[in-house]
Amino acid sequence: MPARRLARHLLAAAVGATLAVTLAACSGGGASDSGSGAEAANDRDGARSEAVAPGSAEDAVTGAAGAVGLAEAPEEAINRELITTGDATLAVEDPFEAAEQIADLVETAGGRVEARDERAGTDDEPGSASMTLRIPADRVSATLDALDKLGEVRDRHVETVDVTGTAQDLDARIAALRTSTDRLRELLADADRTADLIEIEAELATRQAELDSRVSERSRLSDEVAMSTLNVEIVAEGTPAAQAQPGGFLGGLSAGWSALVKTFNVVVLVLGAIIPWLALGGLVLLVVVGVRRQLAKGEPDGPAPVTAEPEPVEP
């Protein structure tokens, strides 16, 4: 019995020692693994910090913006070429005085009056005026706002057309034509045969005419871009043009009645212009008929009819 107990104690001690060694080895391996994991994490953080160095983020954003065309967007927006046109109706007490004020306003804004038409008032219709204005493109909105101070703006319409593509195409054509004409002049200077001279001169004249046409077209386009066109109709207050037109059935009835009255006035005017000519034509016709009758009465009678003698009867 004592021997068995001693054997059990020795076995238990051996098992306990084995478990202690195993646990120590596992803990050491875990520490080494955690240490290597920490070192790997530190290495990754260092790599990230090197990848995102100061100034590199801004370069990356700029590169991405340039890749999608965002970096050039502000410059393209500045270089856009736009043609602006507008129409407005202004109701005032005195159209002529308002036209003078608008002309002064446009000259102050750096523009000019391209066309001006003034119509004096009559018993049936008050006076009115119409103006075609050329205004710097950046002063169109300010000019339209200034019209509100002169009278009542009944309606306005502003339209903008982008002609950037047309302008770029013209610029490219003009550059190519200039290069071509310069080359033809060089060939003309080096030509030594009459046939070559004639052929080069003819081609040079054609290219030069096309170049002049393109340059003139580009100048007109640049002027339309720089100076916007604004058409202003100035009417007197209380006139049908200045009053708001009714809509619906009443508007159609009013428009139809106005058209009927205008048509009747036109018919009366035409009849008034034709009647004097009809009277004159009738008088001439009566004179011609009377002369013909008088001539017919004065003509001599024709020769008497010849009577046939009876033939003698034989016995």
Side-chain angles (χ1 to χ4, degrees):
M1 293 296 294
R4 290 182 180 178
R5 290 180 180 176
L6 179 61
R8 291 178 181 176
H9 288 302
L10 290 176
L11 181 59
V15 172
T18 303
L19 291 175
V21 171
T22 304
L23 291 174
C26 292
S27 61
S32 61
D33 293 341
S34 62
S36 61
E39 291 178 358
N42 291 333
D43 293 340
R44 288 195 297 269
D45 293 339
R48 290 178 182 176
S49 63
E50 291 178 358
V52 189
S56 61
E58 182 179 357
D59 296 338
V61 173
T62 304
V68 298
L70 296 178
E72 299 178 3
E75 184 179 356
E76 291 182 358
I78 294 175
N79 294 332
R80 306 304 293 180
E81 299 198 27
L82 307 175
I83 295 179
T84 303
T85 57
D87 299 278
T89 301
L90 181 65
V92 296
E93 295 181 359
D94 188 354
F96 293 172
E97 182 180 357
E100 291 290 341
Q101 294 176 353
I102 292 175
D104 295 339
L105 179 65
V106 171
E107 292 179 0
T108 303
R112 64 180 184 272
V113 178
E114 193 168 75
R116 181 172 176 177
D117 183 18
E118 297 179 354
R119 297 171 289 277
T122 61
D123 295 338
D124 299 331
E125 186 176 356
S128 60
S130 60
M131 306 178 70
T132 301
L133 312 176
R134 300 299 303 277
I135 308 169
D138 57 347
R139 300 289 299 172
V140 174
S141 298
T143 303
L144 289 174
D145 294 339
L147 293 179
D148 291 330
K149 301 178 181 179
L150 301 179
E152 184 178 359
V153 178
R154 295 292 184 178
D155 58 76
R156 67 175 68 185
H157 173 72
V158 179
E159 182 179 4
T160 301
V161 179
D162 190 347
V163 294
T164 304
T166 304
Q168 292 176 350
D169 181 66
L170 285 174
D171 291 339
R173 291 175 180 270
I174 289 172
L177 287 172
R178 283 176 176 169
T179 302
S180 178
T181 52
D182 292 341
R183 179 57 180 164
L184 287 174
R185 289 190 180 94
E186 294 177 359
L187 294 176
L188 184 63
D190 296 338
D192 53 358
R193 295 193 308 170
T194 304
D196 294 340
L197 289 173
I198 295 174
E199 184 179 358
I200 294 174
E201 286 180 351
E203 186 65 22
L204 179 60
T206 302
R207 298 290 178 87
Q208 187 64 44
E210 186 178 358
L211 175 60
D212 294 339
S213 176
R214 298 295 182 181
V215 171
S216 177
E217 185 178 356
R218 184 65 173 92
S219 299
R220 290 194 300 269
L221 185 65
S222 299
D223 180 70
E224 292 179 358
V225 171
M227 302 291 289
S228 301
T229 303
L230 180 61
N231 300 310
V232 180
E233 187 72 20
I234 309 171
V235 297
E237 293 180 349
T239 58
Q243 295 175 353
Q245 297 294 336
F249 175 77
L250 294 178
L253 182 61
S254 177
W257 177 256
S258 299
L260 178 61
V261 172
K262 290 180 180 179
T263 303
F264 179 76
N265 292 334
V266 171
V267 172
V268 171
L269 179 62
V270 172
L271 290 177
I274 292 177
I275 286 176
W277 293 98
L278 293 177
L280 179 60
L283 180 60
V284 172
L285 181 62
L286 290 176
V287 172
V288 171
V289 172
V291 170
R292 291 187 63 181
R293 287 181 178 178
Q294 292 296 329
L295 293 176
K297 290 181 179 180
E299 290 179 356
D301 296 336
V306 179
T307 57
E309 295 181 355
E311 294 181 358
V313 178
E314 295 181 359

